[in-house]
Amino acid sequence: MSSSSDVTVLVFGPYNGDGIAELERRFTVRHLKTRDIAELPEAERGGIRAVAVAGRIPNAAIDALPNLEIIGHFGVGYDGVDAGHAASRGVAVTNTPDVLTEEVADTTLGLLLMTVRELGLAEAYARAGRWEAEGPYPLTRFSLRGKTAGIMGLGRIGLAIAERLEAFGLEVAYHNRSRRSDVAYAYHDTLEGLAKAVDILIVAAPGGPSTDKAVNEGVLTALGAEGIFINIGRGSTVDEPALIDALKNGTIARAGLDVFADEPRIPADLMALPNATLLPHVASASRDTRRAMGDLVADNLSAWFAGEPLPTPVPESEAAGLSRAKAS
Ligand code: DGY
């Protein structure tokens, strides 16, 4: 096995500053600031044994690195990395679960409160001096009191959201591909069924082909005119034009979104809607949590090059026997 400092890690695209510093403490780092592999000279490609990436890396970039062994993805959702393709080339993929769970769940409740109680609009009202000039902010149409919430994707983050919702006094239900045996929340075997049964629908599911545009016109219609929609998972999980129509037409009442189909672009139609609360993908974006995510990427790469089991390989890599480096 190599000493870590002999290993060159390619940081592919924009990446957290603390995360780069941690990689630099352990490895030789080459930072490609764009996501364009053509900008990495051919002569350097053979020297790259690991990649660290936050978000998307195309298969063409994986294929262009002949000695690549491992991709450390900064983020729990790794829909931007084709882990099956990587495995077919013998490349392991890791992600950063657990270290961001509580932060993302906290933000979800913040976004829910902003959406239901119009806290962002109320703050803008106060800052504009309108309280003094015009009187109190109007009473909000919605409240969390007496409401039921449905979670699409009751994984680690979904469960942490469910615990917080319970503490807020809400009844919780969920939809997953299959029922969990370790929770008592009401299970719905279709997303439409869940949407029909609850007042608030929260997406905490991963992106990728299995959830692509799962929240469609039918689901939004089932949620109904008093319904609140929250998305903290991935923008790809929602049919965004259908959501915009639903907000415009009153098919649903309000939406709170941290994620979008084509980040960082937010459709102008969505920006113009007063019943949409919009955040710029900040669910895990505190300095401490992002630092912990960067440390976990570095820990995975260190484990690989020390011949130790990977702390957090993704399931596709585990299934392909890539949860530790083969002894050389
Ligand atoms: C994740 O970890 O998947 C988040 O969306 C990144 O902030």
Side-chain angles (χ1 to χ4, degrees):
M1 296 296 156
S2 341
S3 132
S4 287
S5 55
D6 297 340
V7 171
T8 301
V9 176
L10 177 68
V11 175
F12 189 78
Y15 199 87
N16 172 267
D18 292 321
I20 292 186
E22 188 55 40
L23 290 170
E24 282 173 342
R25 271 191 276 279
R26 308 188 200 193
F27 305 99
T28 301
V29 171
R30 172 73 162 91
H31 190 187
L32 192 64
K33 293 194 173 124
T34 66
R35 292 184 199 271
D36 185 3
I37 196 67
E39 288 186 16
L40 186 71
E42 297 266 353
E44 287 186 53
R45 296 184 189 173
I48 305 294
R49 295 176 63 194
V51 160
V53 62
R56 197 177 56 81
I57 181 167
N59 286 344
I62 298 174
D63 297 346
L65 301 170
N67 296 315
L68 182 63
E69 298 172 41
I70 181 166
I71 299 171
H73 183 261
F74 181 99
V76 64
Y78 57 98
D79 45 304
V81 185
D82 185 341
H85 178 77
S88 74
R89 299 188 54 98
V91 175
V93 177
T94 62
N95 65 342
T96 60
D98 301 320
V99 292
L100 46 57
T101 299
E102 306 302 324
E103 195 79 76
V104 173
D106 288 349
T107 312
T108 307
L109 267 289
L111 176 58
L112 175 61
L113 277 171
M114 284 180 74
T115 307
V116 171
R117 298 296 327 288
E118 304 177 18
L119 298 183
L121 296 174
E123 192 197 5
Y125 187 90
R127 284 184 184 276
R130 294 179 64 188
W131 184 13
E132 191 180 350
E134 300 173 35
Y137 184 79
L139 303 181
T140 60
R141 174 174 160 205
F142 294 101
S143 159
L144 285 185
R145 298 304 94 221
K147 296 292 189 294
T148 55
I151 298 175
M152 172 191 178
L154 199 69
R156 285 174 278 228
I157 293 173
L159 271 180
I161 295 169
E163 282 166 12
R164 284 161 175 75
L165 291 168
E166 278 194 287
F168 272 65
L170 277 75
E171 214 175 284
V172 177
Y174 73 104
H175 166 69
N176 265 3
R177 258 176 306 184
S178 48
R179 185 194 292 266
R180 293 184 66 125
S181 54
D182 57 347
V183 296
Y185 305 128
Y187 174 69
H188 293 264
D189 58 6
T190 66
L191 183 55
E192 212 166 298
L194 176 67
K196 215 178 177 55
V198 298
D199 306 300
I200 297 162
L201 179 63
I202 300 175
V203 172
S210 65
T211 56
D212 192 54
K213 296 190 177 57
V215 178
N216 54 24
E217 192 188 340
V219 171
L220 294 166
T221 303
L223 186 57
E226 299 288 294
I228 308 282
F229 175 66
I230 302 290
N231 192 0
I232 204 87
R234 282 290 179 267
S236 60
T237 302
V238 184
D239 178 342
E240 211 167 62
L243 174 63
I244 293 169
D245 282 348
L247 286 164
K248 276 187 185 162
N249 303 338
T251 304
I252 66 168
R254 306 190 72 84
L257 310 171
D258 185 49
V259 287
F260 303 88
D262 184 26
E263 295 175 8
R265 277 168 289 277
I266 300 179
D269 275 2
L270 203 44
M271 293 268 212
L273 287 170
N275 52 347
T277 300
L278 310 174
L279 296 181
H281 202 147
V282 292
S284 66
S286 70
R287 180 129 191 221
D288 284 352
T289 294
R290 289 284 168 91
R291 190 185 284 121
M293 291 162 67
D295 287 352
L296 184 50
V297 172
D299 289 348
N300 273 289
L301 302 189
S302 290
W304 181 266
F305 291 107
E308 289 163 7
L310 291 171
T312 52
V314 304
E316 293 89 334
S317 298
E318 280 199 290
L322 290 166
S323 46
R324 72 190 299 163
K326 296 201 173 35
S328 52

